[in-house]
Amino acid sequence: LDYAIEQNTTITYNSNANLFCKYTDLHNQAHYLSLEHEKNLLQNKLRLYFGAELGLHDNRELYSFYDHHIAGSYIGFKYHFNETSFGQMEYQIDLKNYPDYSMYNSLENYGYLQLSKSFQTSRTTIQTRIDLGRRNYTNNIDSKNHIDQITGSIKIAQSLTDLTGLQLKYSQHH
């Protein structure tokens, strides 16, 4: 559910529920509320956007270790080099709270850089992306209270028809 407060500002509510016929203990639900503002600059070649999100994820008692609340914010931009190429960069910070397992409470910093190029004649797109992230466990008393991750990927997508496509993606995680 989206609602435009003004031309460049949107508030969004997103909810989902997963219900299982045979394994009802797996039922879960999630609710997220976000606010985003965007600004187009440089004759619409540069899109700057930023926002904030609140959310919760709730499971049945047997899987309550997945329950969490989240508060986060992000800022990013997308720059169009020409009609077929763009670059995008985003930084996000999230605070996660696990009510039943506070040792997993964390502050996560995450960012990515992505470059995309489309070839209109062959209807092919190539995308490269690098992601960097760090999760700091806020209630962990260990000396190693964080996890770092870097991921690099390349994706090649081919349009087969107007509504059908095929993509291959290779990712490397460290």
Side-chain angles (χ1 to χ4, degrees), residues 40-47 78-82 86:
N40 288 311
L41 306 166
L42 303 174
Q43 292 91 25
N44 291 328
K45 288 183 87 167
L46 177 65
R47 177 181 166 252
K78 183 177 185 177
Y79 182 79
H80 290 270
F81 300 109
N82 54 46
F86 69 87

Side-chain angles (χ1 to χ4, degrees), residues 2 5 13 15 17 53-54 61 67-68 70 74-75 79-80 105 112 117 126 128 150 163 167 172:
D2 288 338
I5 297 172
Y13 172 72
S15 176
E53 178 179 69
L54 296 172
E61 188 175 330
D67 293 353
H68 64 271
I70 188 169
Y74 58 91
I75 185 168
Y79 182 79
H80 290 270
N105 291 351
Y112 71 84
K117 170 74 176 155
I126 297 176
T128 60
I150 182 170
L163 299 174
Q167 71 178 18
Q172 183 71 41

Side-chain angles (χ1 to χ4, degrees), residues 22-35:
K22 190 172 182 179
Y23 303 103
T24 58
D25 285 339
L26 294 175
H27 289 352
N28 63 74
Q29 60 181 323
H31 304 274
Y32 297 95
L33 182 65
S34 63
L35 178 69

